[in-house]
Amino acid sequence: MLEEPWPAFERDPRLRRLETEVLESGAEDGVEWVVLADTVLYPEGGGQPADAGTVGGVAVSDVQKTSGVIRHLLAGAAPSGRVTVELDWHRRFDHMQQHTAQHLVTAVAEDRFGWPTTSFHLGETMSDVELDVANLGPLDLDALEEAVAEEVRRARPVTARRVTREDYGALTVRSRGLPEGHTGSIRLVEIHGVDLNTCGGTHCASTAELEAVKLLGCEPLRGGTRVHFVAGHRLRRLLGAHHRRSAELRALLGASDEELVRGLETRLEQLKDAHRAMRDLQGELASAAAAALAVAPDPILQAHWPDRDLSFLQRVARELDALAPERVVFLTTGEDEEGYFLLSAGPQAHADVPSLGRAVAKRLSGRGGGSGRMFQGRAGGLSQREEALEAVREAISD
């Protein structure tokens, strides 16, 4: 490695704790930051998120490199003087596994299958690479995954070094090009026997530390194909979550893993049948309720149901349009204070429904809308129902 003062996270990506000095501090948009003499916290860049940790016991919310200076954005007041920097190792090692897996997937995809990588994204739960290939089928993904697994089993060493621009020009390096305006040495990450790549990120010491890499699926994107993957601890965590979920589904459906999908399909069909039967019963109930209301002598046909929905009120109102075309209808549903209301008038009734509806909504501490012969909405004060009904009576009797 060239003799330059590279930060601790680059000199030793496994270093978790460091004593250093605060060189500069400040605040931007209400967030305090510090610049340190050295740091174990990796700043966001190259597709890899920033590390997490603490500086002088204060949580670090972000780490960014701007104009060659690494700023540690803090969740509290900035410390001063000599401080201890602590790394969230679990997060760092996860990033090392996912980033190294990306290098391996990229190298194998291009060298063995002719599918170069155009971009990479390391996400919170899964990562992805975009491959310059129009489409990939299940057999293609299986072949790529098995080829990657071969290299994991071989425990290929992974090392990093810096070289001069002259040395760089003499090497065969996988790169999409150096950043515009780049000067100085160039950092290379090598998976021995597989890949040599320009990269500033943190990586595992061996492909064996990846444990395993799983390709989760792919999708077409911008003329290429995005491949989603997980590696290492993420893969074990994902498998554990799937296993627990399957166990819950097995208990609910009374089926084995192999029968889960068919069992769920059967339950969904039964549920659809039940919904159809419920709709038919709701229709019959609405017709019966309308028929009972239509024979009442009151000029306002009114009723309240504690456990119906707005669609039931609408069905009853439509039935009453034909059964009692000269009447005004006031219907409500709900328990306690909250529910729904509907005000309508038959084609032969004389009532300003929009105006009456707004008055009813106000009395019921609710809101709604409508035009023509129906106004409906949500009620927030059903205890005022009788007062609202009385207001309707007074309005239509004028």
Side-chain angles (χ1 to χ4, degrees):
M1 178 179 289
L2 300 178
E3 292 298 327
E4 295 187 43
W6 308 116
F9 64 77
E10 181 173 329
R11 300 194 308 271
D12 182 3
R14 306 182 98 82
L15 187 63
R16 308 182 191 190
R17 190 173 185 273
L18 177 72
E19 299 289 330
T20 187
E21 297 281 344
V22 175
L23 300 181
E24 184 182 353
S25 63
E28 186 172 343
D29 297 328
V31 177
E32 297 196 30
W33 53 264
V34 292
V35 175
L36 305 174
D38 198 0
T39 183
V40 292
L41 302 182
Y42 178 81
E44 179 183 15
Q48 181 173 324
D51 281 333
T54 60
V55 173
V58 181
V60 174
S61 59
D62 198 4
V63 188
Q64 294 291 327
K65 187 173 184 178
T66 305
S67 301
V69 175
I70 298 175
R71 282 187 176 183
H72 302 72
L73 282 65
L74 305 173
S80 60
R82 191 154 188 83
V83 293
T84 300
V85 186
E86 299 269 4
L87 169 69
D88 180 342
W89 172 250
H90 178 79
R91 176 179 169 88
R92 159 67 69 77
F93 190 65
D94 171 62
H95 291 169
M96 291 165 66
Q97 286 185 316
Q98 311 315 310
H99 204 159
T100 307
Q102 177 265 314
H103 280 227
L104 185 58
V105 170
T106 288
V108 172
E110 182 169 7
D111 294 345
R112 296 202 191 181
F113 300 92
W115 307 329
T117 293
T118 58
S119 70
F120 156 62
H121 171 249
L122 197 163
E124 289 293 327
T125 58
M126 68 178 69
S127 303
D128 63 78
V129 292
E130 291 182 26
L131 301 180
D132 189 12
V133 56
N135 57 74
L136 294 176
L139 294 180
D140 296 319
L141 280 186
D142 288 346
L144 175 56
E145 182 176 288
E146 182 54 39
V148 169
E150 289 177 10
E151 301 303 339
V152 172
R153 291 192 293 269
R154 285 174 178 160
R156 301 275 192 179
V158 181
T159 58
R161 68 182 188 273
R162 284 187 173 269
V163 298
T164 64
R165 185 175 286 272
E166 292 73 23
D167 289 338
Y168 174 78
L171 297 170
T172 301
V173 180
R174 194 186 314 276
S175 175
R176 295 196 299 274
L178 298 174
E180 185 177 351
H182 177 83
T183 60
S185 63
I186 300 164
R187 187 170 187 263
L188 303 178
V189 173
E190 182 174 9
I191 303 176
H192 290 244
V194 176
D195 187 44
L196 182 62
N197 205 332
T198 55
C199 185
T202 56
H203 296 274
C204 297
S206 163
T207 59
E209 289 189 338
L210 297 179
E211 303 174 36
V213 179
K214 178 62 183 175
L215 306 185
L216 299 175
C218 62
E219 59 185 335
L221 184 71
R222 294 188 284 267
T225 301
R226 173 181 285 169
V227 178
H228 300 276
F229 70 90
V230 290
H233 180 259
R234 286 195 191 188
L235 175 53
R236 290 186 282 111
R237 185 175 60 197
L238 181 64
L239 178 59
H242 283 319
H243 182 74
R244 289 189 294 273
R245 191 177 303 115
S246 293
E248 292 175 5
L249 288 172
R250 288 195 301 270
L252 288 171
L253 298 174
S256 65
D257 279 343
E258 293 74 17
E259 297 170 334
L260 281 178
V261 174
R262 181 56 190 155
L264 184 56
E265 288 173 344
T266 299
R267 294 297 179 91
L268 289 175
E269 285 300 322
Q270 292 171 347
L271 187 58
K272 289 178 183 178
D273 291 341
H275 281 166
R276 282 191 288 267
M278 185 180 295
R279 283 198 303 269
D280 292 342
L281 289 173
Q282 288 271 31
E284 293 175 10
L285 183 58
S287 296
L293 284 173
V295 299
D298 196 323
I300 300 176
L301 303 181
Q302 61 90 18
H304 174 79
W305 294 273
D307 56 356
R308 301 300 173 193
D309 57 17
L310 184 57
S311 65
F312 180 79
L313 303 188
Q314 294 166 343
R315 287 187 178 198
V316 174
R318 286 195 295 268
E319 293 277 348
L320 287 172
D321 255 8
L323 295 174
E326 75 289 356
R327 309 283 193 92
V328 172
V329 176
F330 178 54
L331 307 174
T332 56
T333 183
E335 293 184 296
D336 299 325
E337 287 294 304
E338 296 186 352
Y340 296 94
F341 72 91
L342 181 148
L343 184 73
S344 69
Q348 298 174 21
H350 301 288
D352 183 354
V353 172
S355 178
L356 272 176
R358 288 190 292 272
V360 166
K362 186 175 181 180
R363 291 293 182 97
L364 296 179
S365 302
R367 58 183 181 178
S371 59
R373 294 187 293 108
M374 184 178 290
F375 191 102
Q376 59 195 344
R378 184 180 289 275
L382 285 175
S383 61
Q384 303 301 311
R385 184 181 185 281
E386 289 302 319
E387 287 82 349
L389 177 59
E390 188 59 32
V392 176
R393 289 189 193 282
E394 292 175 1
I396 67 172
S397 64
D398 290 343

Coordinates of all heavy atoms in Angstrom, one line a residue, residues 202-270:
T202 N -15.7 -1.1 2.1 CA -15.1 -2.1 3.0 C -15.6 -3.5 2.6 O -16.7 -3.6 2.2 CB -15.6 -1.8 4.5 OG1 -17.0 -1.7 4.5 CG2 -15.0 -0.4 4.9
H203 N -14.7 -4.5 2.8 CA -15.0 -5.8 2.3 C -14.6 -6.9 3.2 O -13.7 -6.7 4.1 CB -14.3 -6.0 0.9 CG -14.8 -5.0 -0.2 ND1 -15.9 -5.3 -0.9 CD2 -14.4 -3.8 -0.5 CE1 -16.1 -4.3 -1.8 NE2 -15.2 -3.4 -1.5
C204 N -15.1 -8.1 3.0 CA -14.7 -9.3 3.8 C -13.3 -9.6 3.5 O -12.7 -9.2 2.5 CB -15.6 -10.4 3.4 SG -17.4 -10.2 3.9
A205 N -12.7 -10.5 4.3 CA -11.3 -10.9 4.1 C -11.2 -12.1 3.2 O -10.2 -12.4 2.6 CB -10.7 -11.3 5.4
S206 N -12.4 -12.8 2.9 CA -12.4 -14.0 2.1 C -13.9 -14.2 1.7 O -14.8 -13.8 2.3 CB -12.0 -15.2 2.9 OG -12.3 -16.4 2.3
T207 N -14.0 -14.8 0.5 CA -15.4 -15.1 0.1 C -16.1 -16.1 1.0 O -17.3 -16.2 1.1 CB -15.3 -15.8 -1.4 OG1 -14.6 -17.0 -1.4 CG2 -14.8 -14.8 -2.4
A208 N -15.3 -16.8 1.8 CA -15.9 -17.7 2.8 C -16.7 -16.9 3.8 O -17.7 -17.5 4.4 CB -14.8 -18.6 3.5
E209 N -16.3 -15.7 4.1 CA -17.1 -14.9 5.1 C -18.4 -14.5 4.5 O -19.3 -14.0 5.3 CB -16.3 -13.6 5.4 CG -15.1 -13.9 6.3 CD -14.4 -12.7 6.9 OE1 -14.6 -11.6 6.3 OE2 -13.8 -12.8 7.9
L210 N -18.7 -14.7 3.2 CA -20.0 -14.4 2.7 C -21.0 -15.4 3.2 O -22.2 -15.2 3.1 CB -20.0 -14.4 1.1 CG -19.1 -13.4 0.5 CD1 -19.2 -13.5 -1.0 CD2 -19.6 -12.0 0.9
E211 N -20.5 -16.6 3.6 CA -21.4 -17.7 4.0 C -22.2 -18.3 2.9 O -22.1 -19.5 2.6 CB -22.3 -17.3 5.2 CG -21.6 -16.7 6.4 CD -22.5 -16.1 7.4 OE1 -23.6 -16.7 7.6 OE2 -22.2 -15.1 8.0
A212 N -23.0 -17.5 2.2 CA -23.8 -18.0 1.1 C -24.4 -16.7 0.4 O -24.5 -15.7 1.1 CB -24.9 -18.9 1.5
V213 N -24.7 -16.8 -0.9 CA -25.3 -15.7 -1.6 C -26.6 -16.3 -2.3 O -26.5 -17.3 -3.0 CB -24.4 -15.1 -2.7 CG1 -25.1 -14.0 -3.4 CG2 -23.1 -14.6 -2.0
K214 N -27.7 -15.7 -2.1 CA -29.0 -16.1 -2.7 C -29.5 -15.0 -3.6 O -29.7 -13.9 -3.3 CB -30.0 -16.4 -1.6 CG -31.4 -16.8 -2.2 CD -31.3 -18.1 -3.0 CE -32.6 -18.5 -3.6 NZ -32.5 -19.7 -4.4
L215 N -29.7 -15.4 -4.9 CA -30.3 -14.5 -5.9 C -31.9 -14.7 -5.7 O -32.4 -15.8 -5.9 CB -29.9 -14.9 -7.3 CG -28.4 -14.9 -7.6 CD1 -28.1 -15.2 -9.0 CD2 -27.7 -13.6 -7.1
L216 N -32.5 -13.6 -5.3 CA -33.9 -13.7 -5.0 C -34.9 -13.6 -6.2 O -36.1 -13.9 -6.0 CB -34.2 -12.6 -4.0 CG -33.5 -12.6 -2.6 CD1 -33.8 -11.4 -1.8 CD2 -33.8 -13.9 -1.9
G217 N -34.4 -13.0 -7.2 CA -35.3 -12.8 -8.4 C -34.8 -11.7 -9.2 O -33.8 -11.1 -8.9
C218 N -35.5 -11.4 -10.3 CA -35.0 -10.3 -11.2 C -36.2 -9.7 -11.9 O -37.3 -10.2 -11.9 CB -34.1 -10.9 -12.3 SG -34.8 -12.1 -13.4
E219 N -36.0 -8.5 -12.5 CA -37.0 -7.8 -13.2 C -36.4 -7.0 -14.3 O -35.2 -6.5 -14.1 CB -37.7 -6.9 -12.2 CG -36.8 -5.9 -11.5 CD -37.6 -5.1 -10.4 OE1 -38.8 -4.9 -10.5 OE2 -36.9 -4.6 -9.5
P220 N -37.1 -6.7 -15.4 CA -36.5 -5.9 -16.5 C -36.4 -4.5 -16.0 O -37.3 -4.0 -15.3 CB -37.5 -6.1 -17.6 CG -38.8 -6.5 -16.9 CD -38.4 -7.3 -15.7
L221 N -35.4 -3.8 -16.4 CA -35.2 -2.4 -16.1 C -34.3 -1.7 -17.1 O -33.2 -2.1 -17.3 CB -34.6 -2.3 -14.6 CG -34.4 -0.9 -14.1 CD1 -35.8 -0.3 -13.7 CD2 -33.6 -0.9 -12.8
R222 N -34.8 -0.6 -17.7 CA -34.0 0.2 -18.6 C -33.3 -0.6 -19.7 O -32.1 -0.3 -20.0 CB -33.0 1.1 -17.8 CG -33.6 2.1 -16.9 CD -32.6 3.0 -16.3 NE -31.8 2.4 -15.2 CZ -32.2 2.5 -13.9 NH1 -33.2 3.2 -13.6 NH2 -31.5 1.9 -13.0
G223 N -33.9 -1.6 -20.2 CA -33.4 -2.4 -21.2 C -32.4 -3.5 -20.7 O -32.0 -4.3 -21.5
G224 N -32.2 -3.5 -19.4 CA -31.4 -4.6 -18.8 C -32.2 -5.3 -17.8 O -33.4 -5.4 -17.9
T225 N -31.5 -6.0 -16.8 CA -32.2 -6.8 -15.8 C -31.6 -6.5 -14.4 O -30.4 -6.5 -14.2 CB -32.0 -8.3 -16.1 OG1 -32.6 -8.6 -17.4 CG2 -32.8 -9.1 -15.1
R226 N -32.5 -6.2 -13.5 CA -32.1 -6.0 -12.1 C -32.2 -7.3 -11.4 O -33.3 -7.9 -11.4 CB -33.0 -4.9 -11.4 CG -32.7 -4.8 -9.9 CD -33.7 -3.7 -9.3 NE -33.2 -2.4 -9.7 CZ -34.0 -1.3 -9.5 NH1 -35.2 -1.4 -8.9 NH2 -33.5 -0.1 -9.8
V227 N -31.1 -7.7 -10.7 CA -31.1 -8.9 -10.0 C -31.0 -8.6 -8.5 O -30.0 -7.9 -8.1 CB -29.9 -9.8 -10.4 CG1 -29.9 -11.1 -9.6 CG2 -30.0 -10.2 -11.9
H228 N -31.9 -9.1 -7.7 CA -31.9 -8.9 -6.2 C -31.2 -10.0 -5.5 O -31.4 -11.2 -5.9 CB -33.4 -8.8 -5.7 CG -34.1 -7.6 -6.3 ND1 -34.1 -6.3 -5.9 CD2 -35.0 -7.6 -7.4 CE1 -34.9 -5.6 -6.6 NE2 -35.4 -6.3 -7.5
F229 N -30.4 -9.7 -4.5 CA -29.7 -10.7 -3.8 C -29.5 -10.4 -2.3 O -29.7 -9.2 -1.9 CB -28.3 -11.0 -4.4 CG -27.3 -9.9 -4.2 CD1 -26.5 -9.8 -3.1 CD2 -27.3 -8.8 -5.2 CE1 -25.6 -8.8 -3.0 CE2 -26.4 -7.8 -5.0 CZ -25.5 -7.8 -3.9
V230 N -29.3 -11.4 -1.5 CA -28.8 -11.2 -0.1 C -27.7 -12.2 0.2 O -27.5 -13.2 -0.5 CB -30.0 -11.5 0.9 CG1 -31.1 -10.5 0.8 CG2 -30.6 -12.9 0.6
A231 N -26.9 -11.8 1.2 CA -25.7 -12.7 1.5 C -25.6 -12.7 3.0 O -26.0 -11.8 3.7 CB -24.5 -12.1 0.8
G232 N -24.9 -13.8 3.5 CA -24.5 -13.9 4.9 C -25.6 -13.8 5.9 O -26.6 -14.6 5.7
H233 N -25.5 -12.9 6.9 CA -26.4 -12.9 7.9 C -27.8 -12.5 7.4 O -28.8 -13.0 7.9 CB -26.0 -11.9 9.0 CG -26.9 -11.7 10.1 ND1 -27.8 -10.7 10.2 CD2 -27.1 -12.5 11.2 CE1 -28.5 -10.8 11.3 NE2 -28.2 -11.9 11.9
R234 N -27.9 -11.7 6.4 CA -29.2 -11.3 5.8 C -29.9 -12.6 5.3 O -31.1 -12.7 5.4 CB -29.0 -10.3 4.7 CG -28.7 -8.9 5.2 CD -28.9 -7.9 4.1 NE -28.4 -6.6 4.4 CZ -28.5 -5.5 3.7 NH1 -29.2 -5.5 2.6 NH2 -28.0 -4.4 4.1
L235 N -29.1 -13.4 4.7 CA -29.8 -14.6 4.1 C -30.3 -15.5 5.3 O -31.4 -16.1 5.2 CB -28.7 -15.4 3.3 CG -29.2 -16.8 2.7 CD1 -30.5 -16.6 2.0 CD2 -28.1 -17.3 1.8
R236 N -29.5 -15.7 6.3 CA -29.9 -16.5 7.4 C -31.2 -15.9 8.1 O -32.1 -16.6 8.5 CB -28.8 -16.7 8.4 CG -27.7 -17.6 7.9 CD -26.6 -17.9 9.0 NE -25.7 -16.8 9.2 CZ -25.6 -16.0 10.2 NH1 -26.5 -16.2 11.3 NH2 -24.7 -15.1 10.3
R237 N -31.2 -14.6 8.3 CA -32.3 -13.9 8.9 C -33.5 -14.0 8.0 O -34.6 -14.3 8.5 CB -32.0 -12.4 9.0 CG -33.0 -11.6 9.8 CD -32.5 -10.2 10.0 NE -32.2 -9.5 8.8 CZ -31.5 -8.4 8.7 NH1 -30.9 -7.9 9.7 NH2 -31.3 -7.9 7.5
L238 N -33.4 -13.9 6.7 CA -34.5 -14.1 5.7 C -35.0 -15.5 5.8 O -36.3 -15.7 5.8 CB -34.0 -13.7 4.3 CG -35.1 -13.8 3.2 CD1 -36.2 -12.7 3.5 CD2 -34.5 -13.5 1.9
L239 N -34.2 -16.5 5.8 CA -34.6 -17.9 5.9 C -35.4 -18.1 7.2 O -36.4 -18.8 7.2 CB -33.4 -18.8 5.8 CG -33.7 -20.3 5.9 CD1 -34.7 -20.7 4.8 CD2 -32.4 -21.1 5.8
G240 N -34.9 -17.6 8.3 CA -35.6 -17.7 9.6 C -36.9 -17.1 9.5 O -37.9 -17.7 10.1
A241 N -37.1 -15.9 9.0 CA -38.4 -15.2 8.9 C -39.3 -16.1 8.0 O -40.5 -16.2 8.4 CB -38.2 -13.8 8.3
H242 N -38.8 -16.6 6.9 CA -39.7 -17.4 6.0 C -40.1 -18.7 6.8 O -41.3 -19.1 6.6 CB -39.0 -17.8 4.7 CG -38.9 -16.7 3.7 ND1 -40.0 -15.8 3.5 CD2 -37.9 -16.2 2.9 CE1 -39.7 -14.9 2.6 NE2 -38.4 -15.2 2.2
H243 N -39.2 -19.3 7.5 CA -39.6 -20.5 8.2 C -40.6 -20.2 9.3 O -41.6 -21.0 9.4 CB -38.3 -21.1 8.9 CG -38.6 -22.4 9.6 ND1 -38.8 -23.6 8.9 CD2 -38.7 -22.7 10.9 CE1 -39.0 -24.5 9.8 NE2 -38.9 -24.0 11.0
R244 N -40.5 -19.1 10.0 CA -41.5 -18.8 11.1 C -42.8 -18.5 10.4 O -43.9 -18.9 10.9 CB -41.0 -17.6 11.9 CG -39.8 -17.9 12.8 CD -39.5 -16.8 13.8 NE -39.1 -15.6 13.1 CZ -37.8 -15.4 12.8 NH1 -36.9 -16.3 13.1 NH2 -37.4 -14.3 12.1
R245 N -42.8 -17.8 9.3 CA -44.0 -17.5 8.6 C -44.7 -18.8 8.1 O -45.9 -18.9 8.2 CB -43.8 -16.5 7.5 CG -45.0 -15.9 6.8 CD -44.6 -14.9 5.8 NE -43.8 -13.9 6.3 CZ -42.5 -13.7 5.9 NH1 -42.0 -14.5 5.0 NH2 -41.8 -12.7 6.4
S246 N -43.9 -19.7 7.6 CA -44.5 -20.9 7.1 C -45.1 -21.7 8.2 O -46.1 -22.4 8.0 CB -43.4 -21.7 6.4 OG -43.0 -21.1 5.2
A247 N -44.4 -21.7 9.4 CA -45.0 -22.5 10.5 C -46.3 -21.9 10.9 O -47.2 -22.6 11.3 CB -44.0 -22.4 11.7
E248 N -46.4 -20.6 10.9 CA -47.7 -19.9 11.3 C -48.8 -20.3 10.2 O -49.9 -20.6 10.6 CB -47.6 -18.4 11.3 CG -46.7 -18.0 12.5 CD -46.5 -16.5 12.5 OE1 -47.0 -15.8 11.6 OE2 -45.7 -16.0 13.4
L249 N -48.4 -20.3 9.0 CA -49.4 -20.7 7.9 C -49.8 -22.1 8.0 O -50.9 -22.5 7.8 CB -48.8 -20.3 6.5 CG -48.7 -18.9 6.2 CD1 -47.9 -18.7 4.9 CD2 -50.1 -18.2 6.0
R250 N -48.8 -23.0 8.3 CA -49.1 -24.4 8.5 C -50.2 -24.6 9.6 O -51.1 -25.4 9.4 CB -47.9 -25.2 8.8 CG -46.9 -25.4 7.6 CD -45.9 -26.5 7.9 NE -45.1 -26.3 9.1 CZ -43.9 -25.6 9.1 NH1 -43.5 -25.1 8.0 NH2 -43.3 -25.4 10.2
A251 N -50.0 -23.9 10.7 CA -50.9 -24.0 11.8 C -52.3 -23.5 11.4 O -53.3 -24.1 11.8 CB -50.4 -23.3 13.0
L252 N -52.3 -22.4 10.7 CA -53.6 -21.8 10.3 C -54.4 -22.6 9.3 O -55.6 -22.7 9.4 CB -53.4 -20.4 9.8 CG -53.0 -19.3 10.8 CD1 -52.6 -18.0 10.0 CD2 -54.1 -19.0 11.7
L253 N -53.6 -23.1 8.3 CA -54.3 -23.9 7.2 C -54.3 -25.4 7.5 O -55.0 -26.1 6.7 CB -53.5 -23.6 5.9 CG -53.5 -22.1 5.5 CD1 -52.7 -21.9 4.2 CD2 -55.0 -21.6 5.2
G254 N -53.6 -25.9 8.5 CA -53.6 -27.3 8.7 C -53.0 -28.0 7.5 O -53.5 -29.1 7.1
A255 N -51.9 -27.5 6.9 CA -51.3 -28.1 5.7 C -49.8 -28.1 5.8 O -49.2 -27.4 6.6 CB -51.7 -27.2 4.5
S256 N -49.2 -29.0 5.1 CA -47.7 -29.1 5.0 C -47.2 -28.0 4.2 O -47.9 -27.3 3.5 CB -47.3 -30.4 4.5 OG -47.7 -30.5 3.1
D257 N -45.9 -27.7 4.2 CA -45.3 -26.7 3.4 C -45.6 -26.9 1.9 O -45.9 -25.9 1.2 CB -43.7 -26.7 3.5 CG -43.3 -26.0 4.7 OD1 -44.1 -25.3 5.3 OD2 -42.1 -26.2 5.1
E258 N -45.6 -28.1 1.4 CA -45.9 -28.4 0.0 C -47.3 -28.1 -0.3 O -47.7 -27.9 -1.5 CB -45.6 -29.9 -0.3 CG -44.1 -30.3 -0.2 CD -43.6 -30.4 1.2 OE1 -44.5 -30.5 2.1 OE2 -42.4 -30.3 1.4
E259 N -48.2 -28.1 0.7 CA -49.7 -27.9 0.4 C -50.1 -26.5 0.7 O -51.3 -26.2 0.6 CB -50.5 -28.9 1.2 CG -50.2 -30.4 0.8 CD -50.8 -31.4 1.8 OE1 -51.0 -31.0 3.0 OE2 -51.1 -32.5 1.4
L260 N -49.2 -25.7 1.2 CA -49.6 -24.3 1.6 C -50.3 -23.5 0.6 O -51.4 -22.9 0.8 CB -48.4 -23.6 2.2 CG -48.0 -23.9 3.6 CD1 -46.7 -23.1 4.0 CD2 -49.1 -23.7 4.6
V261 N -49.7 -23.5 -0.6 CA -50.3 -22.6 -1.7 C -51.7 -23.1 -2.1 O -52.6 -22.4 -2.2 CB -49.4 -22.6 -2.9 CG1 -50.0 -21.9 -4.1 CG2 -48.1 -21.9 -2.6
R262 N -51.8 -24.5 -2.3 CA -53.1 -25.0 -2.6 C -54.1 -24.8 -1.5 O -55.3 -24.5 -1.8 CB -53.0 -26.5 -3.0 CG -54.3 -27.2 -3.4 CD -54.9 -26.5 -4.6 NE -56.2 -26.9 -4.8 CZ -57.2 -26.2 -5.4 NH1 -56.9 -25.0 -5.8 NH2 -58.4 -26.7 -5.7
G263 N -53.7 -25.0 -0.3 CA -54.6 -24.8 0.9 C -55.1 -23.4 0.9 O -56.2 -23.1 1.2
L264 N -54.2 -22.4 0.7 CA -54.6 -21.0 0.7 C -55.5 -20.7 -0.5 O -56.5 -19.9 -0.3 CB -53.3 -20.1 0.6 CG -53.6 -18.6 0.7 CD1 -54.3 -18.2 2.0 CD2 -52.2 -17.8 0.7
E265 N -55.2 -21.2 -1.6 CA -56.1 -21.0 -2.8 C -57.5 -21.5 -2.5 O -58.5 -20.9 -2.8 CB -55.6 -21.8 -4.0 CG -54.4 -21.1 -4.6 CD -53.8 -22.0 -5.7 OE1 -54.1 -23.2 -5.8 OE2 -52.9 -21.4 -6.5
T266 N -57.6 -22.7 -1.8 CA -58.9 -23.3 -1.4 C -59.6 -22.3 -0.4 O -60.8 -22.1 -0.6 CB -58.7 -24.6 -0.8 OG1 -58.1 -25.5 -1.7 CG2 -60.1 -25.2 -0.4
R267 N -58.9 -21.8 0.6 CA -59.5 -20.9 1.5 C -60.0 -19.6 0.9 O -61.1 -19.1 1.2 CB -58.5 -20.6 2.6 CG -58.2 -21.8 3.5 CD -59.4 -22.3 4.3 NE -59.0 -23.5 5.1 CZ -58.6 -23.4 6.3 NH1 -58.5 -22.2 6.9 NH2 -58.3 -24.5 7.0
L268 N -59.2 -19.1 -0.1 CA -59.6 -17.9 -0.8 C -60.9 -18.1 -1.6 O -61.8 -17.2 -1.6 CB -58.5 -17.4 -1.7 CG -57.3 -16.8 -0.9 CD1 -56.2 -16.4 -1.9 CD2 -57.7 -15.5 -0.2
E269 N -61.0 -19.3 -2.2 CA -62.2 -19.6 -3.0 C -63.4 -19.7 -2.0 O -64.5 -19.2 -2.3 CB -62.1 -20.9 -3.7 CG -61.2 -20.8 -5.0 CD -61.7 -19.8 -6.0 OE1 -63.0 -19.8 -6.2 OE2 -60.9 -19.1 -6.6
Q270 N -63.2 -20.3 -0.9 CA -64.3 -20.4 0.1 C -64.7 -19.0 0.6 O -65.9 -18.7 0.8 CB -63.8 -21.2 1.3 CG -63.7 -22.7 0.9 CD -63.0 -23.5 2.1 OE1 -62.5 -22.9 3.0 NE2 -63.0 -24.8 2.0

